[in-house]
Amino acid sequence: MAKANWFFRCSTEQEIKKRFHELMLVHHPDRGGNLQICQEIVGQYHEALKSCQYTGTEYNGQRQTYRYDETQEKEFEEAMDWAMTLSFCKIELIGTWLWVTGKTQPIKEILKEKGFFWASRKAAWCFHVGIWRRHKKHFHLDDLRAKYGSEVLKEEEDQKAVCY
C-alpha cells in the first residue's frame, strides 16, 4: 500500500504547521487515532518543514525567513502535546506561539517548569522556542490573532459542580 502524502500542496511553514495540527486532532492516539499513522505524519511533517527551509513569507512588506531546527520543533511538539492534556484550559496557536488561558492558577508552577511564561498584559501563559524580539508596543491577544492568525487546538471545558 502506498504511503499517503499528508502535506501535499503545503509549501510554506504556516501551511505545513496548520495542516500538522489539523491532522493531529484527528490521528493522535490520545484522540483515538492510530499510532503508526501518527508516526508517519510526524515524520512527513519534519521532512516538509526541511523542504521549505529558507523560503520566506511576507508580512506588511517585511520578508520573514524560516529555518528548520529539529530540536526546536520537537521541543514545541512536546509542549503542545503536554498542553493538550490540561483540564479547564484553552489551548491556542497564534503564529508560532502556543497560548494557554483558563483556570491555570493551580498549575502555574508546572507551567513554569514546562517552559511556559506568564504574559501579564495578556493574562495568558505562552510558549515559544527560538529567539524572538520584544516590541515596545504592547499587543493584546486579539491584535496577535489578527496579525498572525489563530487556531484553537482545545476549547476550555466547562467546570461543572457535581451534586449528589
Side-chain angles (χ1 to χ4, degrees):
M1 184 159 87
K3 283 174 116 177
N5 184 352
W6 297 101
F7 298 94
F8 180 69
R9 293 192 179 170
C10 295
S11 59
T12 67
E13 171 201 7
Q14 290 84 4
E15 290 172 348
I16 293 167
K17 287 186 175 189
K18 182 176 182 186
R19 178 73 176 139
F20 177 73
H21 297 298
E22 290 168 354
L23 291 168
M24 286 296 102
L25 289 173
V26 175
H27 297 286
H28 197 280
D30 291 346
R31 294 181 165 264
N34 182 305
L35 178 63
Q36 288 177 322
I37 290 174
C38 185
Q39 290 172 338
E40 180 181 316
I41 292 168
V42 169
Q44 286 187 22
Y45 168 69
H46 289 286
E47 290 305 313
L49 284 175
K50 287 177 189 174
S51 73
C52 78
Q53 190 162 229
Y54 304 113
T55 59
T57 57
E58 215 166 289
Y59 177 77
N60 285 349
Q62 294 181 343
R63 188 150 175 84
Q64 301 172 345
T65 304
Y66 170 74
R67 288 181 177 83
Y68 178 79
D69 182 330
E70 186 172 2
T71 306
Q72 289 181 352
E73 291 297 336
K74 288 187 187 245
E75 184 181 342
F76 191 84
E77 272 182 60
E78 290 170 5
M80 185 178 65
D81 285 345
W82 177 80
M84 295 295 283
T85 66
L86 298 174
S87 299
F88 310 115
C89 293
K90 178 180 179 181
I91 313 301
E92 188 173 10
L93 186 64
I94 301 175
T96 57
W97 293 67
L98 190 62
W99 293 88
V100 178
T101 55
K103 301 189 182 350
T104 60
Q105 179 65 25
I107 58 167
K108 71 178 188 177
E109 293 304 321
I110 299 168
L111 283 161
K112 287 179 190 176
E113 288 173 17
K114 294 288 184 178
F116 286 77
F117 67 92
W118 178 247
S120 59
R121 291 199 171 120
K122 294 166 186 64
W125 290 91
C126 58
F127 183 88
H128 186 268
V129 292
I131 55 173
W132 70 89
R133 57 190 168 128
R134 294 189 183 269
H135 291 278
K136 290 182 182 177
K137 182 178 177 185
H138 299 288
F139 294 99
H140 294 283
L141 275 179
D142 287 336
D143 298 329
L144 296 175
R145 287 180 186 109
K147 183 174 180 177
Y148 298 108
S150 165
E151 182 181 352
V152 176
L153 302 176
K154 181 181 172 191
E155 287 288 344
E156 182 176 355
E157 301 98 351
D158 293 329
Q159 189 171 14
K160 297 180 178 151
V162 178
C163 299
Y164 292 97

